[in-house]
Amino acid sequence: MERREINMEKLEAQTRRHFIKNCTLGLGGLALSSLISACDRGASGNLRLSGPGGGPMAPKPPHFPGKVKHVIYIHLAGAPSQLELFEYKPDLVKLNGKACPQSLLQGKRFAFIRGVPKMLGPQAEFKQHGESGAWISNYLPHLSTIADELTFLKAVHTDQFNHAPAQLLMHTGTPRLGRPSMGSWVTYGLGSENSNLPGYVVLTSGGNNPDAGKSVWGSGFLPSVYQGIQCRSDGDPVLFINNPDHIDRENREASVRAINEINKHTYDEFNDPEILTRISQYELAFRMQATVPEVMNIADEPRFVHDMYGSDPDRSIFANNALLARKLVEKGVRYVQLFDWGWDTHGTSEQGSIDVGLVNKCRQTDKAVTALVLDLKQRGLLDETLVVWGGEFGRTPMQENREGKTNRFKGRDHHADAFTMWMAGGGLKKGFSFGETDEIGYSGISGQVTPYDIQATILHLLGFDHEQLTYPFQGRPFRLTDVHGTVIKDILA
Amino acid sequence: MQIINYLGKFHPLAVHLPIGILSLFLLLALFIPRAQLQKSGALIRLVLLISALSATGSSVSGWLIANSGAYDTKAVTGHQVMGIALTLVNWGIWYKTVFLFECKIGVYRMTLGILAALMILTGHAGGSLTHGADFLTPPPVPVWFSPESENQRSVTWESSAFEAASVIFRQKCAGCHGKNKQKGKLRLDAKEYLLKGGKSGNPIAKDAASSLLIKRLLLPLDDEDHMPPKEKKQLSKTEIDFLVWWIDNGTDFENTLRAMNLPDSLKGILTTEKVTPVNPLIPERNVEAAHPSVVGVLNSFDLIVLPVAENTNHLSVQFVNIAPENLGKAVREVLKIEEQLIWLNLDHQHLDPETWRTVGGLSNLRKLSVKDSNLNDEGMSGLSSLSQLRHLNLVGTDVSLSGIEQIGALKNLKKLHIYQTQIASDDVENIRSLFPETDIEFGYYEVPILKSDTTVLRMEDR
Amino acid sequence: MDRFRDFLNNLYFSIMKKLFSYKTLFFILLPAFVSLVVWNILPREEIDYNAQVKPIFNKHCISCHGGVKKSGGFSLLFEAEAKGNTDSGSPAIIPGRPGQSELIRRLTTDDPEERMPYEKPALSRDEIKILKRWIGQGAKWDTHWSYVPVKKVEAPDGFREEEKVRQWAQNDIDLFIYEKLEQLKLSPNPEAGTDRLARRLSFDLIGLPVPDSIYAGLGESSPETLKNELTEVLLNSPHFGEKWAGIWMDLARYSDTKGYERDDSRTIWKYRDWLIKAFNDDKPYDRFLIEQIAGDLLTDPTDDQRIATAFHRNTMTNDEGGTDNEEFRVAAVVDRVNTTWEVIMGTTFACVQCHGHPYDPFTHEDYYKFLAYFNNSRDEDTFDDYPVFRHFEKDDSIKLAELTVWLKEHADRSKRDEIVKFVKTWQPSYNSLKSDQFVNSELADTKWLVFRNHGSSRLRGVDLNGKNTMIYRYRGFLPGGIWGIHLDSADGPLLKEVKVEDTGRRWTYNEIAFDEVSGRRDLYFTYSNPNLKNPLSNGLMFDWFYFTASFPGKGKPGRQKAKNDYWHLVTRHALQTPVMIENPPSMSRTTHIFDRGNWMTPGKQVVPGMPAIMNALPDGVENNRLGMAKWLASTQNPLTARTYVNRIWEQLFGSGIVETLEDFGSQGIPPTHRKLLDHLAWKFMRDFNWSTKRLLKYIVSSATYQQSSHSRPEQLSVDPQNKFLSRGPRIRLTAEQIRDQALVVSGLFNPEMYGPGVMPYQPEGIWNSPYNSRTWTRSTGDDIYRRALYTYWKRTSPYPSMLIFDAMAREVCASRRISTNTPLQALVTLNDSVYVEASLHFAKRMAAYNGTIEDQIAYGYELMMNEKISSEKLEILMDLYNKVAPPARVKRVGYSRESPEDQHARRMAVLGNTMFNLDEFLMKN
């Protein structure tokens, strides 16, 4: 069946309703002018430049030349304690065990702290690393060796102190459910180059989904083609990718060919452009059945790669996801989202404490994260990839006293006013730290940034003006950054 | 009462009658000598009677519409007074036509002059009421005629302190305190107006602290009198500091900045060309668009041909989805967009030597990635002509030291990735000497295996 | 000089002579003068504010001069503000005087400081001309079309008699459609074939392919009567209710779980059963709304009317440890307001939470005046979703009936109602999570009041008038506890002291009497227990407290049995459905404006009320939630009928007359056939008396609906999305329909109705919510073949194959599903076990048909498509049948040993899987 015989132009035809239509709504329904520039995300300028299959995932140019083409976002669900990893506070050592001053509690709301908690000194030893002299604790021995590759944001703050709303705010721009996640916005804006692979892949580890569930990588009101595809290390890497037992690869090829031939007859009868789109989607599905398992299979990676990442094909651990993230980006996947659950160290159990539980979580991830950055660098991918590392909020300098009783183990409560994230990759000042917190790491004193600013900066590095990347819904153009967000210019190279 | 008000609406229509007739009378008086005119005195009296009657009618309707409140009284009174005066003079002349023809020629001409003047003034005032005051103002002088628009003038060490200050005034204040508008009667775009000051006196006093200009600048943003107004562009910190420094040093108009040795904390005031960080991977000058049909052909090979951004014609090409059998043809086709093509990705592609040489023809290429492709030393020679190349990724190819030596001519190279190639670690030294300006990425990083990576900590061994 | 003057005079006189000769006067001046007058008097084409002026304001001006920002004190949203004085002291628009209007001057001036739109491209010349002529014609302001109450609209009968039209049109709808097609120079399609139309009708009305039973019963009748009979049978089929309930569940954001982090399960499926019955009984739409919005406030509400109010209890509750319950209660109330406006009135009211509506005439205060209707509900984000309706079965319901009868005789009316309400809903009770001033006590996991030794806490503002009994639900962790209840302060007078025993970790109930006290008092609870050694461990936990008078009918016969029945029913573990219940006066809340939408900064207090632009509250109706429900369902409400009719239209034709179902405001896409929409809305309210079935019958019997869905090139170029319906609707089936169709055609379909959610096959590892050990345990027996409607729905991990076919996660209400066409959908129908198993059964069904292989394939195709297979398609399938090679596994075993039957079965299996993926099978043609 000669593909060119079916006129590919028709494939560009609109699917039902508003999704990527030509947006000439007529004067009557014209929405804000910025909407128009966003709406023609479907057709890229006068040249019909999109590759085969056209349609929603066809690659599109950004507003201005981007510094990076891929994003790997590593989210530590539960919020790692910045006071044990990056924030060296000698004063906190002195205050260890003393009652928390009233001024810090005035008018503040905490998830579990009640009455007057005690201050808790850092449990790790800190040293300065690399020429940039970045403070990193002995919980992260491997990351310390690449301190000069990292760009730290030391005074990030948010207004949500519960896991689910805070994760939603960090990834979808609002603490409530129902909005598209950052990966959906990026693939809606840029499409994806490798048409045989999904554009937005999600990998979870640590035993549980993140607290906000699938909505953290959902497509919200954007068409469902932009939702994150969860790749799983056990069973089908992508849901329903493998053929049933009684149909092998050749039978599947024959059946897909028969389906499309019959659909061709249906097209001749109905002349409905939708049929042509479906024909190409079935072909794509057939190709994906080969390409996805191949890229997801890490069993035949050479020994030295497993040694570098600490990955192991027989277990489903974070290191495998880090290795997969590099392989996916190398094959052209646009946005890879890693979630690792289990960082919620309140001190209610041994594995939930900052002197034992946090150490183990660091041991599970430190080596793989460092290996990922170095591997991207040596393969020439780091220049066009942005790696983001962080949690949904920080942890309090005070020890948590849930229900008024100090917890059995050492732990810290949720703290929205100041925490640390870092980034690495194209377009950033390397070995640089932006923003400072007060002497006990309670609140930021300079360079404070919000999750909206971080989203705006990520979109900026991809080549987008975050105020122009919009989608019309309920009568107004919606944005990832909603009505907030300014690009953090100080960390841009 | 309502209908009477309605009659007022006819005032603009009714007004034109007296104007028409009076101007007829004036024209007649102009062209025909008085003596001859006197012969047809009855006709002239009739003309004057009609004009007087219509003038009275229009005055009445004018009075009605004035009371309907649609206009602010201040502008209306002038028009109203002149209108009534015109009507009275008209009646006067009608009543005293005989006197008009008898009296001295000077008086005759003088009454006609008064009549004409009154008519024109009333007409003008009425017109500006209905169509707005600037209805007749001529279109502004086109920009290229006006003298070199001042606010672009650059400030250097040699320009005077006042010139530097006036550049600030023109950029941030002329909007409301400039040529065509003087809020608070204050004008700042020239020396004499600056000194004259405005409604509340001279903006500049003996020292900055007591100058009204500086006080207004330093008021909190949401204060009512803060200048410039909240929604306009604000002065930068260096600009305010410069004004303070300038006034504290006696608001000097003559000496140059160098003479007054401008403190370097204020150097920000000097115009430096805004150096936008140049992205080495994008050529400065734009090119015109590639021909859509050429791009159409490339697309038919499943190549991804994309502009690097929305409003530029520079293109990038990605080969990831191409079918192997089309490789040769596709690369030759790509040559057709040689001028626009700046980024090319040939990862995992296996080209024959002939095709590798055609890749060398892409003169404008700035970023080339041939990761895990079958490029070898022999193919490298083809690439030596890529003079504009900045990034070259050779990861996973069979290129060795000799291959690298063949591209020694590429002086613009910024980044060279040679991980997993045939290049040995001790070759790296002389590659670095070959490319002193280039960041050589040899890779082979090690992440040591620590015991702690695989052991789980328990409370008891803490 | 004189010669020159003479020359002038002669010239002057000759011109004057020629000018005033009669000929020139007649032929030149007069016509010139007449045409001038006519040109002036000719009525310029009246400017339509909505179609021409409002879009210009929306596009260029309203972002700074609208509901959100009123820079310069000038807003174009409301007429009064637009024509009123601005900050400059004089009005910007002076009707009738464009020259004087500051608006026009600001648009045309060249001073960049003053030219509007400020620092944005100027308006185009003809936009300014429109505004000038509009002001010149008096700046007539009329309300947006969708806020004007519906008036009767007759069908256009200009061409009713034309031969072509008389042949084609079946009812008035077609005339409206034909009028638009005429303008676009398009001609409608002929009618679709009866078989294909039957399949389309069947999917639209009951969401299933044409069941054999229905089709057989019709026998041979003329196509005309066949269509009517089929429509009647489908409308009366019990499956009708299931299909339309499914659509309403999207709007009601129905889910079997509570949402957010823990996303624990919630039993609310009784509401789904109510929906199915309501649609099957064709409950009039106005009653349908009133019962869902305020069923509990009706006089003597029946159980069903209470269950109906679960519509608004589909909002999410957050059980995550450490969350502020008041914050998520407020979020639920806000969600109810937004959903009511979007679902029932197609208006984006959600914008108004933070500021005035940018485009439509709703102020910031309007939002909170409407929120006040919902702000007095009893729910407070509790763990068990109180208030709930408790269902009693078999002998419990007998006990309840007996108790009610006894009470009728021995207690006054209000006491009886109070007791029956308490038995059914445990309301009005005080939730323990409302306690404060904790000493050695706390809210365990922010949900239940819990005491340690020597603990105390306060319960504020308890209404004790006429109360002498308290019933409470609690858990004692160890014996020997003393629980003291003090009045007004911790060491205040002791109301009652109670010994607390160990209840063995189970929730238990207890009733205590105390001597009556008057007024609304603060109760201070104290607790101490000598056996409690560790000061940190808890001794006593509470859930809720209920204050009442003692059981009535002292000394009356049968009182003891009645009291026992009463206590049995109160303490009985019963199935619970969250419902709406209004706060009694003693617990009523005040409603405040949230400054910039943030609940932490309450502003001015407001009283319940309607936005000014809408119709007023119907007279003789209380100003409460029930009154508001009646206002919603009144014929005077301009939006309710239009929104519903538009939604029905979208279900049948794929896209509504107003494409943006959720936005009828000025930013929504204008309707393609406005007159038709009003015509349908009027008929729906008046002639059909809000009956959904009669409305559906009216639309599906129109020729527009019955057109064939073939597209001709000129239709594709003029109207690619078929918005003007020059051809029948051809849209992809919904996620539920695709699954149900596969089950019906393969013969696996289990038509059982009603009941709790079932769990068909779902790949491993989908459910993974933290702190929630619940897993997806596959249902047994043929429950797994139930309709997709009954699939258990978890909000944060919805059923994957339906999500891929554009089903919404129902975290928030979704007015319409944006359909897409992706490779992942192909993978679902190719490889999902549900579809693979269905295609295997379908293959067996074909193989069992006695006839040649071609006959079997043709039989299979007819089962699928309800029509004969074309020869080319049959040939392609036969070609595939022959080409199917045995899979590797069989090759190893030895190809020859496979019996012909096995080989035939295997090949048919591949064929079955292929046929289930045909485009026409997934589409409604």
Side-chain angles (χ1 to χ4, degrees), chain A residues 83-364:
Chain A
L83 292 165
E84 265 66 40
L85 300 178
F86 305 110
E87 287 269 77
Y88 176 53
K89 297 296 167 186
D91 294 4
L92 201 54
V93 178
K94 291 203 229 54
L95 289 170
N96 185 26
K98 293 206 175 39
C100 168
Q102 200 49 27
S103 62
L104 295 182
L105 305 170
Q106 222 50 31
K108 282 274 192 284
R109 295 192 308 156
F110 290 101
F112 292 101
I113 281 184
R114 294 291 178 273
V116 181
K118 294 196 193 58
M119 306 305 285
L120 178 63
Q123 303 303 308
E125 291 95 29
F126 284 81
K127 280 219 305 306
Q128 290 188 291
H129 296 274
E131 280 122 27
S132 61
W135 287 100
I136 301 181
S137 81
N138 60 349
Y139 278 22
L140 298 169
H142 295 295
L143 198 69
S144 326
T145 61
I146 59 165
D148 291 343
E149 286 294 332
L150 309 178
T151 311
F152 284 98
L153 292 167
K154 285 293 185 73
V156 189
H157 66 99
T158 171
D159 54 8
Q160 297 297 325
F161 56 89
N162 296 112
H163 293 300
Q167 283 165 14
L168 284 168
L169 176 64
M170 190 61 85
H171 289 283
T172 70
T174 172
R176 294 291 171 265
L177 293 154
R179 292 269 182 89
S181 56
M182 201 179 328
S184 301
W185 282 105
V186 169
T187 39
Y188 161 68
L190 284 176
S192 184
E193 281 175 354
N194 185 339
S195 60
N196 295 344
L197 285 173
Y200 173 25
V201 173
V202 177
L203 302 162
T204 59
S205 59
N208 267 330
N209 281 345
D211 302 88
K214 290 200 172 359
S215 342
V216 194
W217 61 76
S219 60
F221 46 72
L222 286 180
S224 65
V225 66
Y226 293 112
Q227 69 190 307
I229 308 297
Q230 184 176 9
C231 288
R232 294 122 33 76
S233 38
D234 42 20
D236 285 359
V238 166
L239 287 185
F240 318 124
I241 193 92
N242 293 330
N243 289 322
D245 307 343
H246 65 288
I247 298 180
D248 62 11
R249 187 78 179 146
E250 302 116 57
N251 291 349
R252 176 54 78 215
E253 179 164 18
S255 77
V256 167
R257 187 176 300 281
I259 292 171
N260 279 347
E261 262 168 60
I262 293 179
N263 286 351
K264 183 74 188 48
H265 284 290
T266 322
Y267 174 69
D268 295 342
E269 183 193 353
F270 282 98
N271 201 353
D272 176 1
E274 192 85 10
I275 301 174
L276 295 174
T277 312
R278 177 153 294 116
I279 289 173
S280 86
Q281 301 303 25
Y282 266 83
E283 266 183 30
L284 210 47
F286 178 69
R287 284 206 306 274
M288 272 170 82
Q289 284 190 305
T291 52
V292 168
E294 178 217 333
V295 84
M296 291 298 289
N297 163 21
I298 57 171
D300 42 29
E301 283 293 322
R303 189 77 226 125
F304 74 89
V305 169
H306 286 306
D307 292 348
M308 185 180 187
Y309 280 84
S311 46
D312 173 359
D314 317 331
R315 292 161 49 222
S316 72
I317 51 176
F318 173 81
N320 297 1
N321 292 351
L323 173 56
L324 282 171
R326 190 264 294 162
K327 279 166 68 84
L328 289 167
V329 159
E330 201 169 29
K331 282 271 195 289
V333 171
R334 183 71 69 190
Y335 192 97
V336 180
Q337 176 73 57
L338 265 61
F339 280 105
D340 189 52
W341 194 80
W343 295 79
D344 197 9
T345 51
H346 285 285
T348 47
S349 66
E350 182 178 328
Q351 284 314 320
S353 67
I354 53 170
D355 48 2
V356 174
L358 183 56
V359 171
N360 291 329
K361 285 311 285 183
C362 289
R363 288 181 177 184
Q364 286 167 16

Side-chain angles (χ1 to χ4, degrees), chain C residues 774-793:
Chain C
R774 209 167 275 284
T775 54
W776 181 277
T777 46
R778 200 166 144 184
S779 304
T780 55
D782 58 6
D783 257 356
I784 53 175
Y785 303 126
R786 294 273 308 275
R787 258 190 101 147
L789 175 82
Y790 297 105
T791 308
Y792 189 92
W793 195 265

